[in-house]
Amino acid sequence: MSDRPPPPSAPDDETHRLAPAGDAQLCLLVVGADGGDVHRLPERGEVIIGRSVESTIQIDEPSISRRHARIVIGDRVTIEDLGSANGVRVAQRLVGPDEPVEIQQGQAVELGSVVVVLHQPSMLPRVRGAGPAREERASLLPDGPPLVRAEAMKRLYAMIERIAPSELSVLLLGETGVGKEVVAEAIHRASARAAGPFVKINCAAIAESLVESELFGHERGAFTGAAQPKRGILEAADGGTIFLDEVGELSGSVQAKLLRVLEEREVQRVGSVEPRPIDVRFVSATNRDLKAESEAGDFRSDLYFRLNGISLEVPPLRERREEIVPLAQRFARRVSPREAPRITSETIALLERHEWPGNVRELRNAMERAAVLAGGGPILPEHLPPEVTGSSEAARAEGAGLRDEMLDLERRRILEALERCGGNQTKAAETLGMPRRTFVKRLDEYGIPRPRKGR
C-alpha cells in the first residue's frame, strides 16, 4: 500500500476524477461508466442496499428490489440476499436468501443487473470520464468473436458489458488455457478505448534482463546495445488497454516500478530522469492465487490491490461443456477453411467426455492435430491425441463399450430397415440415408445374410 500523501483536488474541468483518500474505512463502489458512485461503509455494523429511500445505500435501478441485500462489516465483510426479486451473486455464484457470504476486496458482486465492488478508498483507480462512444471494429482474434453458449459464460460476458465502460483495472482469474486473453480483448472492445491499441505482453515469456526495457522503454546509451531510444510497451498502449498475462511472474523490482505507473500514470524510461505521462487501462491475468501470495509476501499486496480493481473468474472448459463441440468445429475449420471436416458422433462423444485439464488451448491443439491427420476426411477417434481418447485400461474399456453400443444400434437399425422394405437392399439403404454401397458393406461387416432376389 502506498504511503505517499493523497493527490490534490482536481480542477472542475479536469478529465480525471481522483479517488477518495484514506483507508480507515472500506467503501462500496457502484460501477458505472464514469467510474461509479463511492459509498463509505462504517467500520462495524450493517448496511442495507435497495431502491427504497430508506436504504442505507439507495440504488435507483429497476433490477434492484426495495430491500435487496444486507452488508455486515465486522472482522470480515459479508453480504446476504434479503429476498430480492433478481438475486445476489458473488463471483457469479448465486447467494441463497438469508445466507451470509463473505466478500473480498475487488470481488465482483451482482445485485440484479448492477455490479458493486468492495474496496479500500485509496486503492480505487483514478478514472477518466466516460469518453467518446466506442467504435465497433472487427475482432483482432484469429478465431473470430467469442463463442458463448454456457450459462456461466453468458453471465461473464454480461458482466463485461457492464464493467467495460468504467476505467477499473480488471484481474482475470482462471486455469491455464481457459481463454483469459479472449476475455481481456472483449473488455477492450466493449470500452470507450476500443479505437485505441490493445497491447498484449506475456510477463513469463520476457527474459528477466529485458523486462524493464520492454515495459518502460529506454534511452540511447542506457545500456550496452541501446543504440537508439525506444518507447516501451506501456507507452505503446497509450490511449488503449494493456493486457499483462501471467502477471504473477514479474520480479519484485519490476512490481515496484509497475506499482508507480498505476499510481502516477506515468512511465520513466531506463536511463531517463524525465517521466512521461500515459493513459492506459490495465487488464491482468493469472492462474495463481495472487491474494494468497500477497498475504504470504510473495507478491506486493499494494500492487495486487491496484491491479484488482475488479476480479472476474473465467470458468474451466469442463464447466462449459455446451461449448466443446462448437469450439472443436471452429478449430478444425481453421485447418480446412474451404470445407469444414465432419466430426463423427463417436469422436464427439470422446470430446465431451474428456475433462480438458488444458482447457480451450488443449482443445484447439487437439482439433488442429486431428484435422491435419484426417486429411480432409471425417475426424475419427484415432485422429485425436491419446490423452483425449483415454490411454488407461479403464478409459479404453469405456470407449470400447461405447463403440460396441453404437455398432449394436446400427446393426439393429439395418435389420429393421430390411424387414420393413421386404429385403429390398436399395430401399432399406434409402430409408437409413445410407449409400447402397456402404449399406452392403455393413451387411458383410455385421454378418447379415444378403437377401436374394426371388425369395
Side-chain angles (χ1 to χ4, degrees):
M1 188 181 304
S2 173
D3 57 0
R4 63 188 180 86
S9 299
D12 292 338
D13 60 352
E14 178 112 338
T15 58
H16 289 71
R17 184 168 65 81
L18 301 181
D23 283 348
Q25 297 169 269
L26 293 169
C27 68
L28 193 72
L29 173 67
V30 182
V31 179
D34 61 349
D37 297 323
V38 178
H39 300 270
R40 287 187 177 275
L41 300 176
E43 292 186 20
R44 303 186 77 85
E46 71 172 36
V47 168
I48 303 297
I49 303 174
R51 202 170 70 248
S52 169
V53 294
E54 298 175 356
S55 302
T56 317
I57 297 178
Q58 183 189 15
I59 303 177
D60 190 11
E61 205 278 341
S63 68
I64 299 291
S65 298
R66 291 181 59 80
R67 283 172 55 89
H68 198 108
R70 175 190 290 113
I71 292 180
V72 178
I73 305 101
D75 295 333
R76 59 184 189 138
V77 181
T78 62
I79 190 167
E80 59 184 289
D81 188 348
L82 296 179
S84 67
N86 295 303
V88 175
R89 288 182 180 272
V90 176
Q92 296 196 46
R93 292 167 179 82
L94 190 63
V95 176
D98 301 316
E99 174 197 352
V101 173
E102 185 173 2
I103 54 176
Q104 307 289 337
Q105 292 184 50
Q107 201 167 44
V109 178
E110 298 171 79
L111 308 177
S113 62
V114 176
V115 180
V116 300
V117 191
L118 183 72
H119 264 297
Q120 293 174 316
S122 69
M123 289 300 170
L124 288 173
R126 308 177 190 186
V127 297
R128 304 185 312 168
R134 62 189 173 100
E135 296 181 13
E136 297 293 343
R137 61 192 179 112
S139 173
L140 304 173
L141 300 171
D143 299 327
L147 192 154
V148 180
R149 300 282 177 85
E151 283 303 316
M153 292 301 286
K154 289 178 183 178
R155 289 196 300 270
L156 176 63
Y157 275 86
M159 174 84 74
I160 287 170
E161 287 295 324
R162 293 198 286 269
I163 69 169
S166 77
E167 288 293 305
L168 281 173
S169 297
V170 182
L171 180 62
L172 300 176
L173 308 173
E175 297 176 7
T176 182
V178 292
K180 294 188 285 291
E181 182 180 324
V182 177
V183 174
E185 195 196 342
I187 293 170
H188 172 71
R189 288 187 290 110
S191 74
R193 298 174 175 271
F198 177 72
V199 180
K200 300 172 284 188
I201 178 170
N202 187 335
C203 300
I206 303 179
E208 178 66 27
S209 58
L210 299 177
V211 171
E212 290 190 36
S213 174
E214 289 293 321
L215 281 178
F216 308 110
H218 62 254
E219 296 292 353
R220 180 180 178 181
F223 51 84
T224 304
Q228 298 294 333
K230 175 188 174 183
R231 67 174 184 167
I233 292 173
L234 295 174
E235 279 188 72
D238 190 50
T241 304
I242 185 162
F243 174 51
L244 298 173
D245 197 10
E246 302 296 345
V247 70
E249 302 297 327
L250 291 176
S251 67
S253 62
V254 176
Q255 287 179 35
K257 293 185 177 181
L258 183 60
L259 173 64
R260 182 176 178 82
V261 173
L262 272 92
E263 290 178 335
E264 304 289 351
R265 298 292 162 168
E266 58 187 26
V267 296
Q268 190 166 317
R269 293 181 179 180
V270 177
S272 173
V273 295
E274 293 294 329
R276 298 169 180 265
I278 60 169
D279 173 23
V280 297
R281 183 191 197 163
F282 286 88
V283 179
S284 308
T286 182
N287 58 10
R288 294 162 57 166
D289 188 345
L290 284 193
K291 181 177 183 294
E293 292 191 15
S294 67
E295 291 172 348
D298 297 327
F299 191 88
R300 290 189 67 113
S301 60
D302 42 11
L303 177 59
Y304 166 70
F305 285 116
R306 291 287 180 192
L307 294 173
N308 187 25
I310 189 168
S311 58
L312 301 179
E313 187 163 348
V314 186
L317 189 57
R318 62 182 172 275
E319 296 178 9
R320 306 149 45 185
R321 292 194 180 273
E322 307 96 315
E323 298 179 358
I324 291 175
V325 174
L327 283 170
Q329 292 169 334
R330 173 178 286 189
F331 295 142
R333 196 179 303 122
R334 289 179 59 188
V335 178
S336 305
R338 292 186 179 179
E339 184 176 356
R342 182 174 68 88
I343 304 176
T344 67
S345 57
E346 189 176 7
T347 304
I348 288 174
L350 290 170
L351 294 175
E352 291 180 332
R353 187 190 69 188
H354 187 53
E355 287 299 302
W356 300 107
N359 293 290
V360 179
R361 185 180 297 126
E362 181 188 2
L363 176 61
R364 182 188 64 210
N365 293 340
M367 293 313 299
E368 289 178 353
R369 171 189 189 273
V372 170
L373 293 177
I379 295 179
L380 305 173
E382 54 261 37
H383 299 141
L384 297 174
E387 57 269 21
V388 177
T389 57
S391 57
S392 67
E393 289 298 327
R396 280 200 294 271
E398 185 178 344
L402 177 63
R403 286 192 293 274
D404 289 344
E405 286 182 27
M406 295 177 66
L407 293 174
D408 183 60
L409 175 62
E410 186 177 52
R411 186 177 189 278
R412 283 190 285 109
R413 291 193 62 189
I414 288 174
L415 288 170
E416 290 169 359
L418 282 171
E419 186 176 350
R420 286 196 306 270
C421 298
N424 188 310
Q425 298 171 52
T426 302
K427 288 184 178 180
E430 288 176 355
T431 61
L432 293 174
M434 186 183 295
R436 188 182 188 283
R437 180 177 298 180
T438 303
F439 184 87
V440 171
K441 183 180 179 183
R442 291 288 189 272
L443 293 179
D444 294 337
E445 290 176 349
Y446 293 132
I448 301 173
R450 296 175 60 181
R452 298 184 182 275
K453 293 181 180 179
R455 292 187 62 185

